[in-house]
């Protein structure tokens, strides 16, 4: 049986767990908003039209931040259409939809409060610019006494929202983006918009668009150029990436290797520009779209008829997808020193952990479980654990470690998250801790026996303790969470 080892040591600190790593994303796309989170007339809808079944699942998932309203949608969006009594229907060119604007900023903000999540707003830098971004910020965050803030008050919202997180556009490097720009055009616009927005509200945090994914022809160069323009004006740089199996299960199970390399490359690029500009300030990362997405099954928007809330990319996820999502969360935690925000895309129906039927039930997909368990149990300080063990040979990524792992520690409470990426071999794991350890519980999602099944409820896993060691057999293609008690000491 292949063996793997790891060491849990309080001096291997990465960073405190930032709750913002457990973010999600609500876009006006398909049925994410309409018949997803919002469905007036549904038996479970509250007085605001919010589906309380979806609200409950969102809270159960432990979602911390929700990015809104897009995505590609935001690059053609007029935010004013979604506030006040007059809500015009418009063509949404991003997804060829008819947007009724029944749900807008104020509905979203009421929903975030019901869900207990922090809002993360995106401004339109595709068809619009600096002025409209400042108008929206003034409407949302300025107390009163100006046209836009008084309009908010007139719309029944007396107190300013104080929205902190703002994205400067979405995927502006992508030729598919409405109002796509070159890196120089976007970098300048983002810098000027950021400076002006900070005058409206100095308390905001700003996210600059990085590449749409690591396969873009301008990847790397885009980040360097936009950062040269906007380094001083922004706080974070965004990353997006989606992964799919494409008939290559062994490679797919190692997807987090790519996520890991992508993050390291962007950290290096951001620090290179920081050094070149001789800045002490570090730019941290916002991985604000990540997930499994079976993009090869999506025919593309060109063939879509214009429709209201169409059924769009409602992927059904498998046990293997749950394992890969668990590994993405491990990877994000392992980079918690530089990745400050992460949003799984999206929350409901669109490539989502939560699915709904119009007028019918809401349910959890396989990928719901590793997210909910990690969000609930990753607490305190993130520790790297120096895993060692067999290497896997993959066509996609070359050599990849079979074991991926990270730990968090809060007082004497230890949570260890591990993935065995081997599609067909179990792995005997030994974890060495700094003192005697007592296992509290262990949970596994194993995909090895039937990776494509669409149910993957977490199951108990047997763990042995012997003094300062924990041992467990990690099944092939599995995600595991071990909770334990151990006197780690005061160092953490
Ligand atoms: O999440 C779906 C889409 O993927 C978003 O609209 C876009 O930003 C990305 O390309």
């Amino acid at each position: 049986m292949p063996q793997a080892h790891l060491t849990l040591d309080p001096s291997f600190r990465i960073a405190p767990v930032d709750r913002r790593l457990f973010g999600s994303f609500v876009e006006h796309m398909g049925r994410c908003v309409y018949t997803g989170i919002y469905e007036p007339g549904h038996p479970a809808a509250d007085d605001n039209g919010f589906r309380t079944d979806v609200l409950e699942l969102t809270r159960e998932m432990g979602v911390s931040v929700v990015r809104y309203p897009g995505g590609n949608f935001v690059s053609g969006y007029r935010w004013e259409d979604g506030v006040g009594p007059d809500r015009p229907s418009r063509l949404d060119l991003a997804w060829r939809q008819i947007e009724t604007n029944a749900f807008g900023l104020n509905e979203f903000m009421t929903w975030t409060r019901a869900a207990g999540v922090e809002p993360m707003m995106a401004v339109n830098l595709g068809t619009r610019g600096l002025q409209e971004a400042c108008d929206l910020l003034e409407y949302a965050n300025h107390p009163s006494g100006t046209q836009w803030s008084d309009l908010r008050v007139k719309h029944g919202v007396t107190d300013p929202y104080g929205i902190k997180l703002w994205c400067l556009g979405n995927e502006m490097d992508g030729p598919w983006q409405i109002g796509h720009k070159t890196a120089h055009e976007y970098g300048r616009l983002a810098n000027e918009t950021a400076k002006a927005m900070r005058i409206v509200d100095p308390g905001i945090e700003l996210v600059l668009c990085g590449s749409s994914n690591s396969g873009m022809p301008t990847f790397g160069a885009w980040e360097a150029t936009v950062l040269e323009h906007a380094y001083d004006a922004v706080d974070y740089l965004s990353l997006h990436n989606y992964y799919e199996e494409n008939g290559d299960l062994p490679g797919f199970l190692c997807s987090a290797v790519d996520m890991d390399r992508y993050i390291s490359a962007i950290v290096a690029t951001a620090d290179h520009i920081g050094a070149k500009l001789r800045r002490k300030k570090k730019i941290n990362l916002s991985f604000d779209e990540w997930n499994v997405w079976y993009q090869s099954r999506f025919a593309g928007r060109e063939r879509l008829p214009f429709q209201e809330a169409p059924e769009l990319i409602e992927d059904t996820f498998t046990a293997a997808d749950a394992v890969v999502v668990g590994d993405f969360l491990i990877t994000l935690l392992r980079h918690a020193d530089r990745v400050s925000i992460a949003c799984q895309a999206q929350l409901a129906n669109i490539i989502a952990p939560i699915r709904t039927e119009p007028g019918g039930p809401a349910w959890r997909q396989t990928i719901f479980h590793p997210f909910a368990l990690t969000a609930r149990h990753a607490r305190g300080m993130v520790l790297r654990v120096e895993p060692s063990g067999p290497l896997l040979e993959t066509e996609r990524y070359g050599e990849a470690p079979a074991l991926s792992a990270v730990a968090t520690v809060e007082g004497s409470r230890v949570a260890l998250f591990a993935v065995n990426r081997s599609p067909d071999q179990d792995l005997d794991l030994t974890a060495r801790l700094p003192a005697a350890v007592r296992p509290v519980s262990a949970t596994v999602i194993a995909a090895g026996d039937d990776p494509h099944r669409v149910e993957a409820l977490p199951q108990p896993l047997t763990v042995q303790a012997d003094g300062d060691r924990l041992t467990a057999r990690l099944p092939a293609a599995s995600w595991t969470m071990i909770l334990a008690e151990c006197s780690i000491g005061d160092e953490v």
Side-chain angles (χ1 to χ4, degrees):
M1 183 65 57
Q3 310 277 319
H5 295 87
L6 59 82
T7 306
L8 217 139
D9 189 287
S11 58
F12 293 174
R13 298 159 64 121
I14 297 177
V17 177
D18 194 327
R19 302 314 304 164
R20 282 177 168 177
L21 290 181
F22 305 111
S24 189
F25 175 33
V26 166
E27 176 165 9
H28 280 252
M29 176 179 176
R31 299 195 309 109
C32 187
V33 172
Y34 303 110
T35 72
I37 63 169
Y38 177 74
E39 189 177 349
H42 186 279
D46 65 12
D47 293 345
N48 294 308
F50 304 152
R51 286 189 60 150
T52 54
D53 50 356
V54 176
L55 275 172
E56 270 162 36
L57 289 173
T58 305
R59 287 189 287 258
E60 183 185 323
M61 256 182 88
V63 172
S64 54
V65 170
V66 175
R67 184 167 168 254
Y68 174 85
N72 295 342
F73 172 83
V74 77
S75 295
Y77 183 49
R78 287 174 252 207
W79 68 268
E80 306 91 320
D81 290 347
V83 295
D86 301 320
R87 305 287 178 106
S89 280
R90 301 250 190 220
L91 292 183
D92 156 42
L93 306 186
W95 297 109
R96 297 180 62 88
Q97 303 172 118
I98 296 173
E99 172 56 55
T100 63
N101 285 303
F103 189 97
L105 173 68
N106 294 315
E107 288 78 20
F108 176 66
M109 289 307 296
T110 309
W111 181 86
T112 59
R113 284 171 183 177
V117 301
E118 180 185 2
M120 179 180 190
M121 290 297 300
V123 300
N124 174 356
L125 292 189
T127 59
R128 307 187 106 187
L130 184 159
Q131 186 60 61
E132 293 89 347
C134 287
D135 294 347
L136 167 58
L137 180 59
E138 182 184 317
Y139 180 94
N141 283 9
H142 193 72
S144 63
T146 64
Q147 181 195 336
W148 294 111
S149 58
D150 285 346
L151 187 63
R152 184 197 68 242
V153 176
K154 192 172 156 206
H155 292 159
V157 184
T158 318
D159 293 330
Y161 288 123
I163 301 171
K164 282 253 173 290
L165 278 174
W166 293 83
C167 303
L168 296 159
N170 174 71
E171 295 190 350
M172 298 310 302
D173 63 321
W176 59 85
Q177 201 67 215
I178 308 292
H180 159 65
K181 297 190 168 36
T182 66
H184 283 293
E185 287 165 350
Y186 171 69
R188 262 190 58 70
L189 175 61
N191 185 49
E192 295 306 322
T193 305
K195 284 175 5 196
M197 287 177 77
R198 284 198 195 281
I199 299 171
V200 178
D201 182 350
I204 58 175
E205 297 170 49
L206 290 165
V207 184
L208 184 68
C209 284
S211 294
S212 303
N213 60 69
S214 52
M216 295 298 290
T218 50
F219 172 67
W222 171 276
E223 280 80 357
T225 304
V226 299
L227 278 173
E228 288 220 26
H229 280 286
Y231 199 94
D232 294 334
V234 302
D235 303 286
Y236 310 102
L237 180 65
S238 78
L239 295 82
H240 291 180
N241 233 12
Y242 296 96
Y243 298 84
E244 67 181 307
E245 186 182 322
N246 265 338
D248 166 26
L249 181 67
F252 176 58
L253 288 168
C254 293
S255 297
V257 170
D258 182 73
M259 183 191 243
D260 181 64
R261 291 177 188 162
Y262 182 16
I263 293 170
S264 300
I266 299 302
V267 167
T269 305
D271 288 352
H272 164 73
I273 301 302
K276 198 171 160 196
L277 299 174
R278 296 180 175 78
R279 298 290 187 271
K280 287 202 182 78
K281 166 184 165 182
K282 293 269 185 220
I283 298 288
N284 283 336
L285 309 190
S286 173
F287 211 130
D288 46 43
E289 282 187 38
W290 66 265
N291 208 351
V292 174
W293 174 2
Y294 287 86
Q295 264 173 301
S296 52
R297 296 180 196 159
F298 179 51
R301 69 179 173 199
E302 292 71 26
R303 273 166 238 182
L304 298 171
F306 275 103
Q307 260 178 301
E308 262 180 48
E311 264 184 40
L312 221 54
I313 55 170
E314 301 193 2
D315 284 352
T316 298
F317 291 112
T318 66
D321 298 333
V323 172
V324 169
V325 161
D327 205 2
F328 289 150
L329 290 160
I330 289 173
T331 307
L332 292 166
L333 284 167
R334 284 184 40 247
H335 286 281
D337 53 338
R338 296 304 296 272
V339 180
S340 310
I341 306 159
C343 303
Q344 190 186 37
Q346 300 188 4
L347 181 68
N349 293 321
I350 299 275
I351 40 172
I354 300 173
R355 287 279 295 276
T356 69
E357 225 172 70
W363 65 96
R364 304 166 187 81
Q365 293 228 62
T366 59
I367 61 169
F368 182 98
H369 304 292
F371 189 109
L373 289 167
T374 308
R376 187 168 333 136
H377 294 286
R379 301 263 156 199
M381 180 61 67
V382 188
L383 299 181
R384 62 189 166 82
V385 290
E386 302 294 313
S388 65
L391 293 173
L392 303 170
E393 194 51 53
T394 69
E395 240 176 72
R396 289 192 204 190
Y397 308 122
E399 251 180 16
L403 176 66
S404 160
V406 75
T408 64
V409 180
E410 189 176 53
S412 60
R413 228 176 120 276
V414 175
L416 177 63
F417 302 92
V419 163
N420 174 7
R421 294 168 173 158
S422 167
D424 45 23
Q425 287 213 289
D426 294 356
L427 201 52
D428 274 340
L429 172 69
T430 305
R432 197 161 57 86
L433 285 91
V437 57
R438 183 179 68 81
V440 174
S441 69
T443 311
V444 68
I445 296 172
D449 47 346
D450 183 5
H452 298 120
R453 69 181 193 278
V454 296
E455 285 284 332
L457 284 179
Q459 303 293 328
L461 180 78
T462 307
V463 177
Q464 270 98 32
D466 181 9
D468 62 356
R469 301 205 174 203
L470 285 176
T471 54
R473 179 159 294 177
L474 308 183
S478 66
W479 173 89
T480 296
M481 178 185 76
I482 301 174
L483 302 179
E485 286 285 332
C486 177
S487 302
I488 295 282
D490 298 331
E491 290 158 76
V492 185

